[in-house]
Amino acid sequence: MYNVFSRAQARAIGIEPALLQSSLACCLIRVARGIYAVAADCSHPAHARLRYFLEDPALLLARSRGAAPDRARPHPGTLSRWERDRLDHVGWLACTGRIAPGDIVSHRSAAMVHDLPLLPGRLTRLEVSSPHGRITTPGLRRRERVIADEDIVEAHPIGSLRVTSRARTVVDLIRDCGTETGIMAAECFLGRPGTDEHGRPGRFPLPAAARQRRKAVLCDAAGRLLDGWGAARLRRVLDLGTGLSESPAEALALLGFHSVGIGDVVQQAELYTDQGAFIGRVDFLLERLGLVIEVDGESKYRASGTILMDRRALLREKRRENAIRALGFRVLRLEWADVIDPQRFVAALRSVGALR
């Protein structure tokens, strides 16, 4: 699956470790110890047998040329580092022999299955939960957890493996993996639009009623775990979550505002001219300071199917910002480095008088 296979699977069809090792400089990448992914359609005669594991040719094209890896999204697009790491991790889950019958795929591994955002960095272990004890070894972390049947799903595409539900996964991430990881996952769960029958995403932001229904589902899953380790963090993130963060960076900015005591920030505020013409929706608005705060990412200005910046998108954004400034607002732009680093975040807010 996703062109990922194990050393044991390779040996079963007669591929020796020496061939795997030599192919790493050519058409393979190592996902983890004993786990590999085919990264290119190699013409080397000695590597021809590796084609046996080419189950997703579209992903090969994505790795080499930037085409979309997901068959449900046929339109061209870049394969980000996150997408590549996620597909490699899900392929690793599918081909590993280390997950015991009683294990439930959970935490960061379940986040990969459900496409919930995580902080940058390749996962070096599979993460599972089991009522039968815990262990941490190279490549596997098993937490001792009892998980209710209603919090378990059999998630495509990893077949018979059982996985914590999206809501339970978010709760586990909040409890066990830190506030930053938790708020990113919670905001995604609460606010990410679904897709239509053609794989096209719906409109953002979701209506308030839809976000409230999702929050009720999340609170229901959390209600079974509100005692013990991480309970205070769980309550804090659930209280803070709005579903109005359009990206992980915006979720971290939301957390940052509340961490420094700015509670009157408005998310996804709509601005209009004096004549009533719509200018745009801004990420954050501090109206008492006349301050608009935008959290930027390169993908906002990326041309479809390329890693180049779309000049037209940049010009549109410049005109939009000029219109916002014409209303009398100041504009502060934050990047990922500003929201992931508390000191940089505070310094940026102080530079515009939002903090003393």
Side-chain angles (χ1 to χ4, degrees), residues 246-313:
E246 197 169 6
S247 69
E250 288 180 32
L252 292 178
L254 175 66
L255 176 64
F257 288 125
H258 285 262
S259 296
V260 299
I262 298 177
D264 58 341
V265 65
V266 178
Q267 285 185 274
Q268 307 303 331
E270 294 184 349
L271 300 182
Y272 297 84
T273 67
D274 293 339
Q275 293 72 37
F278 179 67
I279 293 176
R281 181 165 39 85
V282 298
D283 297 334
F284 297 96
L285 174 65
L286 270 171
E287 194 162 9
R288 61 183 168 84
L289 297 177
L291 181 65
V292 165
I293 301 172
E294 298 277 59
V295 183
D296 290 334
E298 284 188 358
S299 60
K300 185 183 292 186
Y301 312 116
R302 185 171 290 167
S304 176
T306 76
I307 60 171
L308 303 176
M309 292 301 161
D310 187 338
R311 184 171 179 271
R312 289 171 298 180

Side-chain angles (χ1 to χ4, degrees), residues 6-30:
S6 68
R7 184 182 298 156
Q9 289 173 318
R11 186 173 288 137
I13 64 168
I15 297 176
E16 295 300 322
L19 177 58
L20 298 177
Q21 187 64 33
S22 66
S23 301
L24 289 173
C26 178
C27 54
L28 288 188
I29 61 172
R30 181 183 281 115

Side-chain angles (χ1 to χ4, degrees), residues 84-299:
R84 186 177 71 241
D85 287 350
R86 187 181 78 82
L87 295 175
D88 287 346
H89 194 84
V90 174
W92 182 11
L93 284 167
C95 74
T96 187
R98 301 190 60 189
I99 297 180
D103 288 342
I104 311 298
V105 177
S106 65
H107 294 80
R108 293 180 183 89
S109 287
M112 291 292 200
V113 174
H114 294 303
D115 196 14
L116 293 168
L118 297 172
L119 292 171
R122 178 181 283 271
L123 297 185
T124 59
R125 292 189 178 98
L126 303 177
E127 297 191 356
V128 300
S129 295
S130 170
H132 305 305
R134 58 175 173 261
I135 188 172
T136 300
T137 63
L140 180 70
R141 178 173 185 179
R142 179 180 290 114
R143 290 177 170 88
E144 187 172 4
R145 296 283 191 277
V146 176
I147 300 177
D149 289 343
E150 55 264 47
D151 290 331
I152 300 172
V153 298
E154 288 191 3
H156 177 79
I158 54 177
S160 61
L161 290 181
R162 296 184 298 164
V163 186
T164 51
S165 67
R166 290 186 91 236
R168 174 57 191 258
T169 300
V170 172
V171 170
D172 285 339
L173 292 173
I174 297 170
R175 238 186 12 156
D176 297 322
C177 301
T179 306
E180 291 81 5
T181 297
I183 191 64
M184 287 164 50
E187 283 294 273
C188 177
F189 180 89
L190 294 172
R192 177 187 286 172
T195 56
D196 62 19
E197 63 274 17
H198 303 293
R200 294 174 300 207
R203 290 188 61 184
F204 178 90
L206 292 178
R211 288 184 277 115
Q212 286 300 319
R213 286 193 295 271
R214 291 189 182 187
K215 194 157 194 175
V217 172
L218 197 56
C219 289
D220 184 57
R224 295 184 279 275
L225 299 166
L226 280 177
D227 294 320
W229 172 259
R233 178 191 296 158
L234 188 54
R235 292 189 183 94
R236 180 191 178 202
V237 172
L238 289 177
D239 288 342
L240 179 58
T242 63
L244 291 173
S245 301
E246 197 169 6
S247 69
E250 288 180 32
L252 292 178
L254 175 66
L255 176 64
F257 288 125
H258 285 262
S259 296
V260 299
I262 298 177
D264 58 341
V265 65
V266 178
Q267 285 185 274
Q268 307 303 331
E270 294 184 349
L271 300 182
Y272 297 84
T273 67
D274 293 339
Q275 293 72 37
F278 179 67
I279 293 176
R281 181 165 39 85
V282 298
D283 297 334
F284 297 96
L285 174 65
L286 270 171
E287 194 162 9
R288 61 183 168 84
L289 297 177
L291 181 65
V292 165
I293 301 172
E294 298 277 59
V295 183
D296 290 334
E298 284 188 358
S299 60

